[in-house]
Amino acid sequence: MDVGIDMDYVRDWILDLIEESKLEEHEFSFCKICAYGSRTNGKANKNSDWDILLEYKGTAREDDIFNVLHEQECRINGGRLDVNPIKADQIVNRHAGKPVRVIQYAL
């Protein structure tokens, strides 16, 4: 499904920032990215950001990955890219019972 942004570009931007951060493979291993939020459910306005869920495996803390990804602002089609990293083993626990429309994009 087309969400209005080039998800290959988003993936590459994320991976470039991770590479620049010098994280090692045991700390961060990319799984997939997913778009969600107002841009995917038709409720976006001109100020809406692009919500991206980044699923990864590794020993790096989610806060540390978040900080790496938010050191530089990325804007796409008028909206700021907001990447939210979550460890793969935590996704089911955090979203259990919550209706979330996710447009999945795998590498």
Side-chain angles (χ1 to χ4, degrees):
M1 175 181 231
D2 180 21
V3 295
I5 58 173
D6 182 347
M7 293 296 279
D8 289 327
Y9 175 84
V10 173
R11 179 202 59 220
D12 293 345
W13 180 80
I14 290 169
L15 293 176
D16 286 347
L17 289 177
I18 294 296
E19 185 177 332
E20 289 173 13
S21 75
K22 307 287 190 223
L23 285 169
E24 296 187 18
E25 193 170 324
H26 74 277
E27 295 175 292
F28 180 90
S29 177
F30 177 89
C31 294
K32 64 185 166 198
I33 56 175
C34 307
Y36 69 99
S38 64
R39 296 276 185 164
T40 63
N41 65 22
K43 296 181 180 179
N45 63 49
K46 66 179 183 167
N47 298 317
S48 294
D49 60 4
W50 294 96
D51 296 308
I52 304 293
L53 178 101
L54 165 62
E55 182 180 336
Y56 75 99
K57 294 180 182 177
T59 60
R61 292 174 357 117
E62 292 170 359
D63 290 350
D64 294 336
I65 301 295
F66 180 90
N67 291 338
V68 166
L69 297 174
H70 289 82
E71 286 177 2
Q72 299 177 28
E73 183 176 278
C74 181
R75 298 189 75 78
I76 299 177
N77 295 345
R80 182 180 57 84
L81 199 61
D82 184 16
V83 182
N84 298 288
I86 298 181
K87 288 187 177 186
D89 61 355
Q90 295 296 311
I91 287 183
V92 173
N93 295 336
R94 293 201 189 163
H95 294 290
K98 296 178 185 175
V100 177
R101 181 167 184 229
V102 173
I103 307 303
Q104 191 162 344
Y105 175 85
L107 178 64

